[in-house]
Amino acid sequence: MSTRLLRSMSNVLAPSSPFKLALVQIGAGADKPKNLLHAKSKILEAAKNGAQVVVLPECFNSPYGTKYFPEYAESLNGGESTRMLSDAAKEGNVYLIGGSIPEKEESTGKIFNTLTAYDPSGKMIAKHRKVHLFDIDITGQITFKESDVLSGGDWLTLVDTKYGKLGVGICYDMRFPEMAMVAARKGCLAMIYPGAFNMTTGPMHWELLQRARAVDNQMYVAACGPARDVNADYVAWGHSTIVDPKGEVIATCDEKETIIYADIDPVNVQTYRRYLPLYEQRRFDIYGDVAETVTVDKNGIVTKQKQ
Protein backbone atom coordinates (compact mmCIF):
# COMPACT_ATOMS: atom_id res chain seq x y z
CA MET A 1 0.00 0.00 0.00
CA SER A 2 1.36 3.44 -0.94
CA THR A 3 2.52 5.91 1.69
CA ARG A 4 -0.05 8.39 0.34
CA LEU A 5 -2.94 5.97 0.91
CA LEU A 6 -1.74 5.02 4.36
CA ARG A 7 -1.61 8.67 5.35
CA SER A 8 -5.11 9.38 4.02
CA MET A 9 -6.57 6.35 5.78
CA SER A 10 -4.94 7.32 9.09
CA ASN A 11 -7.14 10.45 9.40
CA VAL A 12 -10.67 9.08 8.99
CA LEU A 13 -13.79 9.75 11.02
CA ALA A 14 -13.39 8.93 14.70
CA PRO A 15 -16.01 6.65 16.28
CA SER A 16 -19.28 8.59 16.15
CA SER A 17 -23.01 8.22 16.71
CA PRO A 18 -26.08 10.29 15.76
CA PHE A 19 -27.23 13.23 17.87
CA LYS A 20 -29.63 16.15 17.80
CA LEU A 21 -27.94 19.56 17.50
CA ALA A 22 -29.48 22.88 18.56
CA LEU A 23 -28.26 26.38 17.73
CA VAL A 24 -29.61 29.04 20.10
CA GLN A 25 -29.91 32.38 18.31
CA ILE A 26 -30.28 35.08 20.97
CA GLY A 27 -29.16 38.67 21.41
CA ALA A 28 -27.25 40.32 24.25
CA GLY A 29 -27.79 43.73 25.81
CA ALA A 30 -25.90 45.75 28.38
CA ASP A 31 -27.23 43.82 31.39
CA LYS A 32 -24.92 40.81 31.82
CA PRO A 33 -26.94 39.00 34.53
CA LYS A 34 -30.05 39.33 32.34
CA ASN A 35 -28.12 37.98 29.34
CA LEU A 36 -26.96 34.98 31.35
CA LEU A 37 -30.42 34.17 32.70
CA HIS A 38 -31.90 34.37 29.22
CA ALA A 39 -29.17 32.20 27.72
CA LYS A 40 -29.68 29.57 30.40
CA SER A 41 -33.43 29.48 29.81
CA LYS A 42 -32.90 28.90 26.09
CA ILE A 43 -30.30 26.18 26.69
CA LEU A 44 -32.81 24.37 28.89
CA GLU A 45 -35.54 24.91 26.30
CA ALA A 46 -33.35 23.27 23.66
CA ALA A 47 -32.60 20.39 26.01
CA LYS A 48 -36.31 19.92 26.76
CA ASN A 49 -36.90 19.71 23.02
CA GLY A 50 -34.47 16.81 22.71
CA ALA A 51 -31.19 18.49 21.83
CA GLN A 52 -28.10 16.58 22.95
CA VAL A 53 -25.55 19.19 21.84
CA VAL A 54 -26.45 22.87 22.27
CA VAL A 55 -24.56 25.87 20.85
CA LEU A 56 -24.69 29.56 21.82
CA PRO A 57 -23.57 32.56 19.70
CA GLU A 58 -20.36 34.54 19.89
CA CYS A 59 -20.32 37.05 22.79
CA PHE A 60 -23.67 35.81 24.09
CA ASN A 61 -23.13 37.49 27.49
CA SER A 62 -22.30 41.03 26.34
CA PRO A 63 -22.63 43.54 23.53
CA TYR A 64 -20.13 42.89 20.73
CA GLY A 65 -17.52 45.60 20.27
CA THR A 66 -13.99 46.55 21.23
CA LYS A 67 -15.21 49.14 23.74
CA TYR A 68 -17.23 46.44 25.54
CA PHE A 69 -14.66 43.64 25.74
CA PRO A 70 -12.64 45.07 28.68
CA GLU A 71 -15.78 45.96 30.64
CA TYR A 72 -17.37 42.53 30.31
CA ALA A 73 -14.21 40.40 30.42
CA GLU A 74 -13.98 37.83 33.21
CA SER A 75 -11.85 34.93 34.32
CA LEU A 76 -12.82 31.45 33.20
CA ASN A 77 -12.12 30.17 36.71
CA GLY A 78 -15.18 30.96 38.79
CA GLY A 79 -16.51 33.64 36.47
CA GLU A 80 -20.27 34.19 36.44
CA SER A 81 -20.62 33.20 32.78
CA THR A 82 -18.74 29.91 33.06
CA ARG A 83 -20.62 29.07 36.25
CA MET A 84 -23.91 29.54 34.42
CA LEU A 85 -22.75 27.46 31.44
CA SER A 86 -21.62 24.62 33.68
CA ASP A 87 -24.89 24.67 35.61
CA ALA A 88 -26.96 24.77 32.41
CA ALA A 89 -25.11 21.84 30.83
CA LYS A 90 -25.64 19.79 33.98
CA GLU A 91 -29.26 20.76 34.47
CA GLY A 92 -30.09 20.14 30.83
CA ASN A 93 -27.95 16.99 30.65
CA VAL A 94 -26.40 18.19 27.38
CA TYR A 95 -23.05 18.85 25.80
CA LEU A 96 -22.80 22.63 25.59
CA ILE A 97 -20.68 24.69 23.20
CA GLY A 98 -20.93 27.88 25.20
CA GLY A 99 -20.67 30.44 22.43
CA SER A 100 -17.91 32.83 23.40
CA ILE A 101 -17.25 35.41 26.09
CA PRO A 102 -14.59 38.07 26.62
CA GLU A 103 -12.02 36.31 28.80
CA LYS A 104 -9.50 38.14 30.98
CA GLU A 105 -6.36 36.13 31.68
CA GLU A 106 -5.47 37.03 35.24
CA SER A 107 -1.77 36.28 34.93
CA THR A 108 -1.19 38.62 31.96
CA GLY A 109 -4.20 40.94 31.83
CA LYS A 110 -4.73 39.94 28.20
CA ILE A 111 -8.27 39.71 26.86
CA PHE A 112 -9.37 36.89 24.56
CA ASN A 113 -12.56 36.00 22.72
CA THR A 114 -13.03 32.54 24.23
CA LEU A 115 -15.29 29.55 23.70
CA THR A 116 -15.77 27.00 26.47
CA ALA A 117 -17.39 23.57 26.15
CA TYR A 118 -19.02 21.37 28.80
CA ASP A 119 -20.13 17.78 29.15
CA PRO A 120 -23.52 16.76 30.62
CA SER A 121 -22.02 16.64 34.13
CA GLY A 122 -21.16 20.34 33.84
CA LYS A 123 -17.42 19.74 33.52
CA MET A 124 -15.53 22.14 31.26
CA ILE A 125 -13.96 19.86 28.66
CA ALA A 126 -12.48 22.35 26.19
CA LYS A 127 -11.42 25.95 25.71
CA HIS A 128 -10.82 27.71 22.40
CA ARG A 129 -9.51 31.23 22.10
CA LYS A 130 -10.38 32.90 18.79
CA VAL A 131 -7.32 32.37 16.63
CA HIS A 132 -7.96 34.80 13.77
CA LEU A 133 -8.93 38.27 14.98
CA PHE A 134 -11.53 40.25 13.06
CA ASP A 135 -9.51 43.11 11.58
CA ILE A 136 -11.16 44.40 8.40
CA ASP A 137 -11.67 47.64 6.48
CA ILE A 138 -14.32 47.55 3.75
CA THR A 139 -14.33 51.08 2.38
CA GLY A 140 -17.59 52.90 2.94
CA GLN A 141 -19.21 49.98 4.76
CA ILE A 142 -17.42 48.68 7.88
CA THR A 143 -14.11 49.01 9.70
CA PHE A 144 -13.44 46.84 12.72
CA LYS A 145 -10.24 45.87 14.53
CA GLU A 146 -10.51 43.30 17.31
CA SER A 147 -6.74 43.37 17.76
CA ASP A 148 -7.02 46.86 19.28
CA VAL A 149 -8.20 45.08 22.44
CA LEU A 150 -8.04 41.31 22.00
CA SER A 151 -5.17 38.85 21.77
CA GLY A 152 -5.38 35.83 19.49
CA GLY A 153 -5.31 32.23 20.64
CA ASP A 154 -2.32 29.95 20.12
CA TRP A 155 -3.97 26.59 19.42
CA LEU A 156 -6.83 24.85 17.63
CA THR A 157 -9.37 22.83 19.60
CA LEU A 158 -11.13 19.49 19.10
CA VAL A 159 -13.95 18.68 21.54
CA ASP A 160 -14.32 15.00 22.43
CA THR A 161 -17.92 13.96 23.13
CA LYS A 162 -19.65 10.59 23.39
CA TYR A 163 -21.14 11.32 19.95
CA GLY A 164 -17.74 11.89 18.35
CA LYS A 165 -15.19 14.63 17.91
CA LEU A 166 -16.26 18.20 17.12
CA GLY A 167 -13.96 20.90 15.79
CA VAL A 168 -14.65 24.43 16.97
CA GLY A 169 -13.81 27.94 15.82
CA ILE A 170 -15.17 31.43 16.40
CA CYS A 171 -16.64 33.61 13.64
CA TYR A 172 -13.68 34.93 11.59
CA ASP A 173 -11.95 31.57 12.11
CA MET A 174 -14.43 30.20 9.56
CA ARG A 175 -12.67 32.09 6.75
CA PHE A 176 -9.51 30.04 7.24
CA PRO A 177 -10.01 26.57 5.71
CA GLU A 178 -6.97 25.05 7.38
CA MET A 179 -8.81 24.80 10.72
CA ALA A 180 -11.60 22.68 9.27
CA MET A 181 -9.12 20.62 7.23
CA VAL A 182 -7.19 19.73 10.36
CA ALA A 183 -10.38 18.90 12.28
CA ALA A 184 -11.76 16.67 9.52
CA ARG A 185 -8.49 14.79 9.02
CA LYS A 186 -8.14 14.31 12.77
CA GLY A 187 -11.49 12.54 12.90
CA CYS A 188 -14.09 15.26 13.57
CA LEU A 189 -17.70 14.77 12.55
CA ALA A 190 -18.52 18.49 12.44
CA MET A 191 -17.17 22.01 12.72
CA ILE A 192 -19.07 24.30 15.09
CA TYR A 193 -18.65 28.08 14.77
CA PRO A 194 -20.30 30.54 17.16
CA GLY A 195 -20.14 33.76 15.16
CA ALA A 196 -21.45 37.27 14.67
CA PHE A 197 -21.23 38.28 11.03
CA ASN A 198 -22.63 41.72 10.32
CA MET A 199 -24.92 43.33 7.77
CA THR A 200 -22.06 43.62 5.24
CA THR A 201 -20.22 40.32 5.61
CA GLY A 202 -23.33 38.28 6.47
CA PRO A 203 -25.17 38.56 3.15
CA MET A 204 -21.91 38.09 1.26
CA HIS A 205 -20.32 35.11 2.93
CA TRP A 206 -22.07 33.64 6.02
CA GLU A 207 -23.81 30.73 4.29
CA LEU A 208 -21.23 30.47 1.51
CA LEU A 209 -18.37 29.85 3.94
CA GLN A 210 -20.30 27.21 5.86
CA ARG A 211 -21.16 25.33 2.68
CA ALA A 212 -17.57 25.63 1.45
CA ARG A 213 -16.12 24.20 4.66
CA ALA A 214 -18.70 21.38 4.53
CA VAL A 215 -18.04 20.44 0.89
CA ASP A 216 -14.26 20.73 1.17
CA ASN A 217 -14.13 18.38 4.14
CA GLN A 218 -17.28 16.28 3.69
CA MET A 219 -18.42 17.03 7.23
CA TYR A 220 -21.24 18.85 9.00
CA VAL A 221 -20.80 22.58 9.63
CA ALA A 222 -22.92 24.67 12.00
CA ALA A 223 -22.67 28.41 12.68
CA CYS A 224 -24.66 30.04 15.48
CA GLY A 225 -25.14 33.79 15.28
CA PRO A 226 -26.81 36.35 17.56
CA ALA A 227 -30.33 37.59 16.98
CA ARG A 228 -30.34 40.99 15.30
CA ASP A 229 -30.70 44.21 17.30
CA VAL A 230 -30.94 47.14 14.90
CA ASN A 231 -30.20 49.56 17.75
CA ALA A 232 -26.90 47.92 18.71
CA ASP A 233 -23.53 49.46 17.88
CA TYR A 234 -22.74 46.28 15.93
CA VAL A 235 -25.73 44.91 14.02
CA ALA A 236 -25.53 41.14 13.58
CA TRP A 237 -26.74 39.21 10.55
CA GLY A 238 -28.32 36.31 12.46
CA HIS A 239 -29.32 33.44 10.14
CA SER A 240 -27.89 30.59 12.23
CA THR A 241 -27.40 27.65 9.89
CA ILE A 242 -26.54 23.93 9.80
CA VAL A 243 -25.06 22.38 6.65
CA ASP A 244 -24.65 18.68 5.86
CA PRO A 245 -21.53 16.96 4.43
CA LYS A 246 -22.61 17.44 0.81
CA GLY A 247 -23.09 21.17 1.32
CA GLU A 248 -26.87 21.32 1.63
CA VAL A 249 -28.48 23.61 4.21
CA ILE A 250 -30.57 21.37 6.48
CA ALA A 251 -31.63 24.02 9.03
CA THR A 252 -31.59 27.81 9.03
CA CYS A 253 -33.57 30.85 10.17
CA ASP A 254 -33.93 34.59 9.72
CA GLU A 255 -32.58 37.33 12.00
CA LYS A 256 -35.02 36.91 14.91
CA GLU A 257 -34.50 35.09 18.20
CA THR A 258 -35.08 31.37 17.74
CA ILE A 259 -33.62 27.89 18.17
CA ILE A 260 -32.93 25.68 15.16
CA TYR A 261 -32.42 21.94 15.27
CA ALA A 262 -30.95 19.24 13.05
CA ASP A 263 -30.12 15.56 13.31
CA ILE A 264 -26.40 14.91 12.85
CA ASP A 265 -25.70 11.43 11.47
CA PRO A 266 -22.17 10.09 10.89
CA VAL A 267 -23.56 7.68 8.28
CA ASN A 268 -24.03 10.68 5.98
CA VAL A 269 -20.38 11.64 6.40
CA GLN A 270 -19.27 8.10 5.60
CA THR A 271 -21.64 7.85 2.63
CA TYR A 272 -20.55 11.09 0.95
CA ARG A 273 -16.90 10.24 1.52
CA ARG A 274 -17.49 6.87 -0.13
CA TYR A 275 -19.27 8.47 -3.11
CA LEU A 276 -16.46 11.02 -3.57
CA PRO A 277 -13.34 9.41 -2.05
CA LEU A 278 -11.32 12.59 -1.70
CA TYR A 279 -9.52 11.21 1.33
CA GLU A 280 -7.93 8.51 -0.83
CA GLN A 281 -7.33 10.78 -3.84
CA ARG A 282 -5.38 13.66 -2.33
CA ARG A 283 -1.92 14.04 -3.84
CA PHE A 284 0.29 14.59 -0.82
CA ASP A 285 3.22 13.59 -3.02
CA ILE A 286 2.68 16.96 -4.78
CA TYR A 287 1.36 19.21 -1.98
CA GLY A 288 1.56 18.97 1.77
CA ASP A 289 -1.03 17.73 4.25
CA VAL A 290 -1.73 20.49 6.79
CA ALA A 291 -3.00 17.88 9.25
CA GLU A 292 0.45 16.29 9.36
CA THR A 293 2.05 19.56 10.51
CA VAL A 294 0.26 19.55 13.88
CA THR A 295 -0.02 17.41 16.98
CA VAL A 296 -3.11 16.78 19.12
CA ASP A 297 -2.76 16.26 22.85
CA LYS A 298 -5.08 14.23 25.10
CA ASN A 299 -7.21 17.32 25.77
CA GLY A 300 -7.85 18.05 22.09
CA ILE A 301 -5.38 20.95 21.92
CA VAL A 302 -3.89 21.19 18.44
CA THR A 303 -0.49 22.87 18.04
CA LYS A 304 2.13 23.08 15.32
CA GLN A 305 4.77 20.38 15.43
CA LYS A 306 8.16 21.57 16.57
CA GLN A 307 10.84 21.40 13.93
Side-chain angles (χ1 to χ4, degrees):
M1 186 177 290
S2 71
T3 301
R4 177 167 63 87
L5 187 54
L6 281 169
R7 289 178 69 194
S8 66
M9 290 178 65
S10 70
N11 296 319
V12 296
L13 184 66
S16 305
S17 60
F19 65 91
K20 187 173 183 178
L21 175 66
L23 307 186
V24 176
Q25 181 167 289
I26 51 175
D31 187 335
K32 184 193 278 190
K34 183 178 179 180
N35 296 335
L36 296 179
L37 284 172
H38 186 52
K40 184 176 182 180
S41 73
K42 302 307 282 187
I43 294 165
L44 297 179
E45 178 184 333
K48 184 178 180 179
N49 289 333
Q52 293 154 310
V53 178
V54 180
V55 183
L56 292 178
E58 181 179 22
C59 285
F60 77 90
N61 70 340
S62 67
Y64 181 79
T66 53
K67 72 179 183 181
Y68 299 110
F69 296 145
E71 178 184 353
Y72 287 83
E74 59 185 82
S75 171
L76 298 188
N77 297 319
E80 57 187 316
S81 298
T82 53
R83 288 199 308 271
M84 182 281 288
L85 293 170
S86 174
D87 290 345
K90 184 175 182 179
E91 187 174 341
N93 192 35
V94 294
Y95 284 94
L96 177 59
I97 308 297
S100 77
I101 65 171
E103 174 205 356
K104 184 175 182 180
E105 185 176 58
E106 297 299 335
S107 61
T108 64
K110 290 182 178 180
I111 299 173
F112 300 90
N113 188 343
T114 301
L115 173 158
T116 53
Y118 304 81
D119 70 13
S121 74
K123 178 184 177 183
M124 187 188 297
I125 56 174
K127 175 178 74 174
H128 175 75
R129 289 169 169 169
K130 189 174 188 176
V131 172
H132 304 94
L133 298 182
F134 184 50
D135 289 4
I136 66 164
D137 185 5
I138 302 176
T139 302
Q141 297 186 67
I142 184 171
T143 298
F144 202 94
K145 196 171 182 182
E146 277 188 325
S147 64
D148 282 344
V149 174
L150 299 179
S151 297
D154 295 326
W155 63 82
L156 308 184
T157 309
L158 311 182
V159 183
D160 200 2
T161 77
K162 72 176 184 180
Y163 305 111
K165 292 183 179 180
L166 306 175
V168 294
I170 300 173
C171 200
Y172 202 54
D173 285 339
M174 185 162 47
R175 292 187 178 274
F176 299 85
E178 294 85 356
M179 289 180 65
M181 289 178 188
V182 168
R185 296 177 200 174
K186 296 300 184 183
C188 289
L189 172 65
M191 279 297 297
I192 309 292
Y193 297 98
F197 276 36
N198 55 63
M199 298 299 292
T200 299
T201 60
M204 287 195 298
H205 295 147
W206 175 251
E207 182 182 305
L208 174 64
L209 285 167
Q210 293 169 67
R211 298 183 70 188
R213 299 293 82 83
V215 170
D216 284 349
N217 300 289
Q218 298 170 304
M219 69 194 307
Y220 287 93
V221 174
C224 183
R228 187 180 304 167
D229 177 359
V230 296
N231 297 312
D233 293 348
Y234 181 96
V235 181
W237 174 238
H239 294 267
S240 297
T241 300
I242 304 170
V243 180
D244 76 9
K246 63 180 179 181
E248 292 187 354
V249 173
I250 57 174
T252 192
C253 59
D254 58 17
E255 76 283 2
K256 302 179 186 69
E257 181 173 299
T258 191
I259 305 175
I260 65 169
Y261 302 87
D263 293 320
I264 306 301
D265 191 343
V267 169
N268 290 330
V269 174
Q270 295 162 339
T271 299
Y272 300 140
R273 289 180 181 180
R274 186 172 68 251
Y275 290 165
L276 294 170
L278 307 184
Y279 284 72
E280 282 71 45
Q281 296 172 335
R282 288 191 168 91
R283 292 292 305 274
F284 295 137
D285 57 327
I286 298 175
Y287 48 79
D289 180 0
V290 66
E292 295 297 325
T293 68
V294 299
T295 57
V296 185
D297 72 11
K298 64 180 181 180
N299 297 313
I301 300 298
V302 183
T303 52
K304 189 174 181 180
Q305 292 180 359
K306 295 181 179 179
Q307 301 296 323

